[in-house]
Amino acid sequence: WCHRSRLAGFPGLCRLHRAEVLSVRGDLCSAEREVTEAAELLSESAPWAEGDAYRVLGEIYLARGDLEDAEAAFRRAYSLGWDPQPGQALLLLARGDAEGAVRALERSLEDPRWVNGQRRGILLAHLAVAAAVAGHRERVNVALRELEQCPELCDTPAFAAITARARAEAALRDRAEQDALAALRESLEHWRRARAPLDAANTRIRIVEVLAASGDTEGADLELHAAESAFRSAGAQAAIRRCAELRRELPRNQSLARGWS
């Protein structure tokens, strides 16, 4: 577009943004290829943004369920001067460290750099989820209130999906399983509207955990099959293995709702 319009542009930035969209759409192989090439271009044309490429790469690995590769990419992003949130916090959640995720997101929200100011809405939304998982109800409410007071920060289906997830996690802490399931299904519908199949699949996994804990193995199996299909389409092998583990646990697991997907 820059070439056709005869405008000066930073080679690599458009490819970086394209990689992020491809990742959300579930095309992880193309996304990884685009962002790897973008990182090489950015290292010369816009080194200030090179770290963002590794942030996106980490989120691609995280979508696959490759936690170690995601951690390495996020560390590389940080070493290049880029705050890799919220991906790094999601990695901590995936490893069961909700308290660490809360601390990481709070540090980013306190960071005065423009990049975190731009992302304040998404950081707050993920903080609400992490705080709910960690059991910090008042911190959840503070984050959600700020989002409600600034609708321009959260006017997309993705924000609606994340905040619904936060309400679900808070409900689970209160042992209100039906309220949690309703909020999770609302989150799932928002991800479907956003055409984000892997985020939708991860939401289904959380629904599987809640249904399994309540003894609804048939419902859990239906959700698990749908999630597994999405992961297979994306070639997310680590996530597929996680689905296989969950399927083996379905008949006997009565405590999954206390964990993180």
Side-chain angles (χ1 to χ4, degrees):
W1 180 86
C2 289
H3 179 72
R4 289 197 308 271
S5 304
R6 297 184 179 180
L7 295 175
F10 288 115
L13 281 179
C14 291
R15 298 188 74 169
L16 171 59
H17 297 153
R18 173 177 164 78
E20 196 160 14
V21 172
L22 288 170
S23 177
V24 170
R25 293 287 185 261
D27 189 352
L28 300 182
C29 290
S30 297
E32 183 179 2
R33 182 173 59 252
E34 288 280 357
V35 76
T36 301
E37 294 176 2
E40 293 178 3
L41 292 169
L42 290 169
S43 66
E44 297 181 1
S45 64
W48 54 269
E50 185 183 2
D52 197 20
Y54 285 95
R55 189 265 310 172
V56 173
L57 185 61
E59 291 182 357
I60 292 168
Y61 290 142
L62 190 59
R64 285 182 177 158
D66 296 332
L67 304 189
E68 290 186 6
D69 287 342
E71 181 179 20
F74 291 141
R75 286 184 178 276
R76 176 65 172 156
Y78 193 82
S79 70
L80 289 167
W82 199 275
D83 187 353
Q85 301 298 351
Q88 188 180 44
L90 293 176
L91 172 63
L92 291 169
L93 281 173
R95 288 175 164 167
D97 186 4
E99 293 287 355
V102 169
R103 290 193 298 271
L105 289 164
E106 287 185 332
R107 284 196 302 270
S108 295
L109 286 164
E110 294 168 0
D111 190 327
R113 286 178 293 178
W114 68 271
V115 65
N116 286 335
Q118 273 194 330
R119 294 181 178 175
R120 186 168 185 81
I122 196 71
L123 294 175
L124 282 167
H126 283 294
L127 175 60
V129 174
V133 177
H136 302 315
R137 172 54 72 86
E138 183 54 33
R139 193 66 187 93
V140 177
N141 293 337
V142 169
L144 292 179
R145 277 198 301 270
E146 182 173 344
L147 288 170
E148 290 168 1
Q149 292 166 3
C150 303
E152 70 279 2
L153 293 179
C154 52
D155 59 353
T156 68
F159 277 109
I162 299 166
T163 54
R165 177 65 177 264
R167 294 198 306 274
E169 297 297 340
L172 284 171
R173 283 286 173 177
D174 294 340
R175 302 186 181 280
E177 290 183 0
Q178 292 308 309
D179 290 343
L181 283 170
L184 284 168
R185 290 188 171 116
E186 179 187 342
S187 179
L188 174 61
E189 185 56 32
H190 284 304
W191 284 128
R192 286 167 56 83
R193 284 178 53 206
R195 296 170 57 200
L198 298 183
D199 289 297
N202 281 315
T203 304
R204 287 188 188 277
I205 292 297
R206 191 59 172 138
I207 294 173
V208 168
E209 293 176 340
V210 178
L211 290 175
S214 67
D216 186 355
T217 55
E218 288 187 6
D221 184 67
L222 285 171
E223 293 290 350
L224 186 56
H225 178 75
E228 193 172 26
S229 295
F231 291 135
R232 287 192 185 281
S233 295
Q237 296 302 319
I240 293 168
R241 290 193 294 272
R242 170 63 173 147
C243 289
E245 292 171 4
L246 281 172
R247 181 165 283 107
R248 288 192 295 270
E249 294 170 358
L250 276 182
R252 58 186 173 78
N253 196 311
Q254 294 295 307
S255 61
L256 282 168
R258 292 194 293 273
W260 178 263
S261 62

